[in-house]
Amino acid sequence: LDVVIERVQTSSARLEVSLPARTQTTSSKLSDTLQRPLTKNLSDLKPGDAISGKIVALVKSGVLLDAGVYRSPAAPKDTGELSQKQGIFAFLRRRDFAANVASGRDTIRSARASTLLKVGDEIQVYVRRVALANAQIAVTMRQEDVTEEAHAERLAARREYAKRTKLSALKFGQELQGIVVSGVKWPVRTFGVYVDVNARRDGLIHVNNMPRSMWGEAWKDILVYGEKVHVSVERVHKEGRAQLLGLKLIGTQQQLEEQLLEEARFRVGLGTTSVFRKKKLSMSPLVESRVRFNMDPELRAELESLERSDAFRATARSYTLRTVDVKTSQSLQSVDNSSDVPADDDDGDDDAFDDAFDDDYFEDKYG
């Protein structure tokens, strides 16, 4: 088979090819396919006007139509004669197709479409945009796309897109907060979820970049659509025109809230040691401040009241030692519990010596 190279992915060693379209012609020969009388001046067309055109070529991003549109003749030359009319194509983008409509170049969507566009078909379209400076006209098959409300929505979407952060401005390790959009905006995948972090491209949290407690199938019940999450930038990959944003999950808003409350309750004697038995989610001061800001007012008030208590402040030093790691916390608890330590038979002021020894030992080792 003779094929056309469409895309080269060096990172995954993948080569995408397609069959050459029979109707594909060179740009120099496309002008010869304009056979309709040139009756519509480009400057006279406005968004929303209904025109009919004949498909003359199928391209990867849509179809080209011969709708009898021409650009205005050039200004008079020294001879006083006007140049001839120059016909132009009307471009129908693939995303402006009607529902269940595809072109012959789209091998994926054509299998599911009920109507397949072919060269020579006569179709009804609506003017969507006219660019006089570039002599271009874009059309759509959906009439609702050319209303004033649709135009206002597109302008608002462009302004919102311009406010979002560029991927080139993101750095490795930068901490962000976002919302899971898999399930509505993106289909649910088996390898991870997509998150909107207010960037110009949604980021992907791969299963390998999730905490070990969420491996397997557990993350599917936690990372649902609309869940608030805290992430860090893992990588920003650009391959051709495609830009990929990889994210690493720090934890969900609910998980980090529960961890802060469990730690505070444990320090005042109201909680259990379950927070030490399971692997804690590490979060920086920036992430912790965001978690506190997004907390429910009642939960935030409870957390602040626990942190203002005398019992919470009294456990500041011992709590720091206990949270070094799980093994150290277990050893410290066994040392602090005098009933578990065998009695010392030596005479003298053993208690004062042991207290001084413990203070010097732990300060030298842990600061």
Side-chain angles (χ1 to χ4, degrees):
L1 295 177
D2 294 331
V3 296
V4 178
I5 297 177
E6 297 288 351
R7 187 180 180 187
V8 179
Q9 294 180 333
T10 56
S11 59
S12 58
R14 182 179 179 184
L15 183 67
E16 294 184 6
V17 298
S18 65
L19 293 175
R22 297 180 180 179
T23 59
Q24 186 176 6
T25 56
T26 60
S27 57
S28 60
K29 296 182 180 180
L30 280 176
S31 58
D32 299 337
T33 60
L34 295 174
Q35 301 177 358
R36 285 197 169 194
L38 303 179
T39 57
K40 303 180 183 65
N41 193 339
L42 181 64
S43 59
D44 296 336
L45 295 177
K46 299 179 180 179
D49 293 346
I51 59 176
S52 60
K54 180 180 178 181
I55 299 178
V56 295
L58 303 177
V59 294
K60 186 177 181 180
S61 56
V63 298
L64 299 179
L65 300 175
D66 180 10
V69 181
Y70 67 94
R71 65 185 305 179
S72 301
K77 298 181 180 180
D78 298 338
T79 58
E81 298 179 356
L82 295 178
S83 59
Q84 296 181 353
K85 298 178 180 179
Q86 181 180 0
I88 59 177
F89 294 99
F91 180 51
L92 175 61
R93 297 181 302 178
R94 186 173 60 182
R95 59 182 180 183
D96 291 329
F97 289 171
N100 297 325
V101 175
S103 69
R105 286 293 304 273
D106 195 343
T107 58
I108 298 177
R109 298 181 182 178
S110 60
R112 303 189 301 264
S114 59
T115 304
L116 192 64
L117 299 180
K118 302 181 296 296
V119 174
D121 291 349
E122 189 82 15
I123 60 175
Q124 179 85 9
V125 293
Y126 302 91
V127 177
R128 189 179 61 84
R129 184 175 61 88
V130 176
L132 296 177
N134 301 328
Q136 296 177 351
I137 175 174
V139 296
T140 177
M141 298 180 70
R142 299 188 297 266
Q143 188 177 7
E144 60 272 13
D145 290 350
V146 295
T147 60
E148 295 182 359
E149 293 79 5
H151 181 66
E153 291 178 359
R154 286 195 296 269
L155 291 179
R158 291 179 182 177
R159 296 191 190 101
E160 184 65 23
Y161 179 81
K163 295 179 182 178
R164 289 176 169 262
T165 307
K166 296 181 180 180
L167 294 187
S168 58
L170 298 177
K171 299 179 181 179
F172 175 78
Q174 183 176 350
E175 295 171 335
L176 306 169
Q177 55 183 345
I179 300 177
V180 178
V181 293
S182 291
V184 176
K185 185 177 179 180
W186 292 90
V188 178
R189 304 295 187 183
T190 58
F191 50 79
V193 295
Y194 289 95
V195 177
D196 182 7
V197 292
N198 198 30
R200 296 189 177 181
R201 179 83 57 177
D202 293 336
L204 172 65
I205 304 179
H206 198 272
V207 178
N208 296 336
N209 292 327
M210 298 180 186
R212 298 181 67 90
S213 59
M214 299 176 63
W215 286 8
E217 301 293 330
W219 64 270
K220 294 184 179 180
D221 299 331
I222 301 175
L223 300 178
V224 296
Y225 177 78
E227 184 72 22
K228 295 181 180 179
V229 295
H230 298 267
V231 297
S232 62
V233 177
E234 184 70 14
R235 67 165 185 160
V236 178
H237 180 67
K238 184 176 181 181
E239 183 174 337
R241 297 183 62 182
Q243 293 182 341
L244 304 176
L245 176 60
L247 303 174
K248 183 177 181 181
L249 179 63
I250 299 175
T252 65
Q253 175 69 20
Q254 183 178 359
Q255 289 175 338
L256 299 179
E257 286 179 2
E258 294 176 353
Q259 179 171 302
L260 290 177
L261 287 172
E262 284 184 7
E263 292 177 356
R265 290 167 183 165
F266 175 78
R267 291 179 62 172
V268 299
L270 299 178
T272 61
T273 58
S274 60
V275 67
F276 299 122
R277 293 175 183 172
K278 61 184 178 181
K279 186 175 180 59
K280 294 175 54 178
L281 300 174
S282 60
M283 51 179 163
S284 65
L286 176 61
V287 175
E288 183 176 349
S289 63
R290 290 174 178 172
V291 173
R292 291 174 180 268
F293 180 79
N294 295 326
M295 287 181 70
D296 185 76
E298 296 181 359
L299 295 178
R300 184 164 61 250
E302 179 185 356
L303 179 61
E304 292 176 354
S305 64
L306 291 173
E307 292 176 345
R308 286 194 300 265
S309 63
D310 296 336
F312 184 89
R313 298 175 182 176
T315 57
R317 179 177 179 277
S318 60
Y319 179 77
T320 304
L321 295 178
R322 286 192 177 94
T323 55
V324 174
D325 52 47
V326 177
K327 295 181 180 180
T328 306
S329 64
Q330 294 175 354
S331 62
L332 291 180
Q333 291 175 6
S334 62
V335 171
D336 293 339
N337 190 355
S338 59
S339 60
D340 297 336
V341 179
D344 203 345
D345 296 335
D346 295 336
D347 297 331
D349 193 1
D350 294 334
D351 295 336
F353 175 80
D354 292 339
D355 292 341
F357 174 79
D358 292 343
D359 290 341
D360 295 337
Y361 174 77
F362 288 118
E363 287 180 1
D364 293 339
K365 187 170 184 181
Y366 302 110

